[in-house]
Amino acid sequence: MINNMKNIASYLKVGLLSGCLLLSSGCELDIPNPNAASDVEVLNSREGIVALSVGMRQFYSTAGLEAALLYPGVTGREMKGVATFTNVLELEAGGTALPTFNGNILGLWSRMQRVMYMSEQILENAPNIPTLTGGTLSGVMAHAHLFNAMALGNLINAFEQANLETSRTDRVTFNSRAEVLAAAIAHLNEGIALIEAIPPSPEFTTQVTGTAFDLRNTLYAYSARYNLYAGNYDAAISNADKVDLTRRSEFVYSTLSPNPVYNTVFILAYFRPRDKFGLPDALFEAGDRRYNFYMTEPGADVAGDRVMTLAGFFNTQTTGIPAYLPDEMKLIKAEALLRNNGSQDEALALINQVRTQTAGDPFSVHAGLPAYSGPMTREALLLEVYKQRSAELYLSGQKWEDSRRFNRPGPPDNLSERNRNFYPYPDQERRNNPNTPNDPAI
């Protein structure tokens, strides 16, 4: 058993490090480890693919989520950059003050590329391993499709264009937002088809995801999310309907692998939450219980700015971060109905399910507000959806995307709800790849 665990650890290390080789900015191994497994051993053995699958999710849940939640959280004005480090100050300033050499932008870009690369390794090699079959193979493959889709979704949330695949030999080409979302949705559809045909085995759950991460429901939830972004409203509703709203799916942490938002906010003290979810006063409702769920107020003011302390899923080393929140599905359906000329009454009922909830949410995120009493127009109800998403899905990596999609005030005239429309491409990508598009103006 000890020798087997050592082998798995060796495979896992190589699986994580192999992603670095994709990027010229990646890891440099100064001292070779003669005891580590080679890429060939990792990609051609059952144990290696299993370990790489675990490593992919582990990397995403730590380094990946730090970048995907916090950096867009600052740009979407949920969080405030407070450290005196140049990268943080540039991210906080946004606009034309955010340079192409900013390390946070490079971090978000390169970490998502690394997740994509590990996923591609699994998808290419897992079907060729004779001992990897049945529900273990379908689970491993669907899991890889999911994380590839997540990486693509995070890239197109932050950049106007992105690559659909990685390459260690050729210069990648860039694709439009519509194409990247379509690719993410295709990965999710493939993952769903795999597990619906052959459900993941208990062995897959034990060795790869654990019981806290619900692969099936997460695939459907992200399909609903990205179909909404893409304007595929019927598909968004259909997939949201297939999510079991009583189930939890989360990334888990330990003292050895701590919650990355906790580490960056509380230990490094780079960021802190903005008051009222970062919303303007007119869009914040007093008495919303989610306010005290996600943040606490120590009572200090700095230059008239209330200093808030982050809570919710982020205030201890070991607090899990949800892969999605169940009530997101209700808000997806409400928005899709309103944008697709569906029933306003049905959309209102879904909004009120979120607004008035006081118990029963698997993650205990409850608004506890009275029912909606505003105008019954599509425009007013869409604004209400935006308000509810901003509170319910606080620091889930979606506020910046929502701000653009709901056509909220934005740069260059107004930086209060987002300080960039999209990030510029990292200098390192541009130096290495002449296919890199022109940077957006802001």
Side-chain angles (χ1 to χ4, degrees):
M1 178 66 177
I2 293 175
N3 288 335
N4 184 56
M5 291 303 294
K6 286 181 178 179
N7 290 337
I8 290 292
S10 177
Y11 285 129
L12 178 54
K13 181 177 180 181
V14 170
L16 289 174
L17 293 179
S18 64
C20 297
L21 301 178
L22 174 69
L23 306 162
S24 60
S25 64
C27 310
E28 294 183 3
L29 304 181
D30 297 324
I31 302 175
N33 178 5
N35 297 315
S38 68
D39 276 359
V40 172
E41 289 177 286
V42 170
L43 300 177
N44 290 281
S45 73
R46 182 183 177 285
E47 293 81 6
I49 288 292
V50 167
L52 183 55
S53 299
V54 174
M56 176 184 64
R57 192 182 70 260
Q58 180 73 3
F59 178 79
Y60 182 86
S61 70
T62 51
L65 276 187
E66 181 202 17
L69 302 187
L70 284 173
Y71 307 163
V74 173
T75 305
R77 316 318 274 161
E78 294 176 298
M79 300 292 288
K80 182 179 179 68
V82 294
T84 57
F85 294 109
T86 302
N87 284 347
V88 175
L89 294 176
E90 291 166 349
L91 196 65
E92 171 62 26
T96 56
L98 184 64
T100 56
F101 52 81
N102 180 270
N104 293 107
I105 293 174
L106 175 60
L108 176 56
W109 178 266
S110 62
R111 293 174 197 183
M112 294 307 124
Q113 299 292 331
R114 189 169 166 186
V115 172
M116 288 169 62
Y117 180 61
M118 288 189 279
S119 165
E120 290 163 358
Q121 289 181 308
I122 294 166
L123 294 173
E124 180 180 351
N125 291 280
N128 302 325
I129 299 172
T131 56
L132 195 58
T133 59
T136 303
L137 176 60
S138 69
V140 162
M141 295 286 286
H143 184 256
H145 279 299
L146 171 64
F147 281 86
N148 199 306
M150 288 175 166
L152 287 168
N154 288 324
L155 285 172
I156 210 59
N157 178 36
F159 300 94
E160 282 186 312
Q161 300 180 52
N163 52 308
L164 304 184
E165 298 176 339
T166 65
S167 175
R168 297 174 72 176
T169 57
D170 300 319
R171 291 162 173 165
V172 299
T173 57
F174 284 70
N175 296 79
S176 69
R177 175 180 176 80
E179 291 169 328
V180 175
L181 284 171
I185 292 166
H187 275 291
L188 294 166
N189 288 343
E190 288 189 55
I192 288 168
L194 283 164
I195 64 167
E196 293 295 1
I198 306 176
S201 65
E203 178 184 52
F204 165 79
T205 302
T206 300
Q207 295 195 9
V208 178
T209 61
T211 56
F213 191 87
D214 189 316
L215 178 59
R216 181 184 185 278
N217 280 298
T218 305
L219 281 162
Y220 278 117
Y222 277 78
S223 185
R225 179 185 295 182
Y226 293 151
N227 273 293
L228 177 73
Y229 291 178
N232 304 326
Y233 300 125
D234 289 339
I237 292 171
S238 174
N239 281 281
D241 278 337
K242 293 173 183 172
V243 178
D244 184 344
L245 302 186
T246 68
R247 297 290 299 273
R248 294 166 62 109
S249 182
E250 59 187 321
F251 299 103
V252 296
Y253 302 98
S254 67
T255 55
L256 296 177
S257 179
N259 181 307
V261 176
Y262 169 84
N263 190 62
T264 304
V265 172
F266 287 92
I267 304 301
L268 300 178
Y270 288 173
F271 309 105
R272 62 173 169 82
R274 291 180 179 272
D275 194 19
K276 302 176 182 178
F277 311 116
L279 289 170
D281 289 344
L283 298 186
F284 175 78
E285 286 190 63
D288 191 329
R289 296 186 189 178
R290 295 168 296 193
Y291 181 66
N292 290 328
F293 177 86
Y294 280 114
M295 58 192 73
T296 59
E297 181 185 351
D301 279 21
V302 177
D305 183 19
R306 288 205 293 182
V307 177
M308 310 303 296
T309 299
L310 192 61
F313 305 113
F314 314 108
N315 62 348
T316 77
Q317 278 188 316
T318 58
T319 303
I321 297 177
Y324 64 90
L325 285 172
D327 277 357
E328 180 186 351
M329 300 305 108
K330 300 173 187 177
L331 295 172
I332 284 173
K333 291 194 290 184
E335 181 181 343
L337 284 165
L338 293 167
R339 294 193 186 278
N340 206 29
N341 295 316
S343 167
Q344 293 185 40
D345 289 339
E346 187 177 348
L348 176 61
L350 290 161
I351 291 168
N352 279 333
Q353 286 177 31
V354 177
R355 283 184 60 93
T356 63
Q357 188 178 44
T358 59
D361 184 87
F363 290 98
S364 299
V365 183
H366 303 121
L369 291 167
Y372 175 80
S373 59
M376 278 298 294
T377 65
R378 292 192 189 277
E379 293 75 16
L381 289 172
L382 278 170
L383 180 60
E384 181 64 25
V385 170
Y386 175 73
K387 288 168 52 179
Q388 294 307 312
R389 286 180 63 90
S390 297
E392 184 78 20
L393 309 180
Y394 178 73
L395 206 56
S396 67
Q398 300 189 76
K399 176 70 178 302
W400 187 16
E401 159 62 30
D402 287 355
S403 176
R404 294 189 302 255
R405 192 172 72 259
F406 284 85
N407 198 29
R408 297 297 303 165
D413 299 326
N414 190 322
L415 305 183
S416 63
E417 295 187 47
R418 63 179 187 273
N419 66 19
R420 291 278 311 191
N421 291 325
F422 291 97
Y423 290 147
Y425 299 96
D427 273 353
Q428 185 158 315
E429 182 68 24
R430 188 173 299 283
R431 283 196 298 267
N432 295 330
N433 186 359
N435 296 324
T436 306
N438 293 330
D439 290 323
I442 194 167

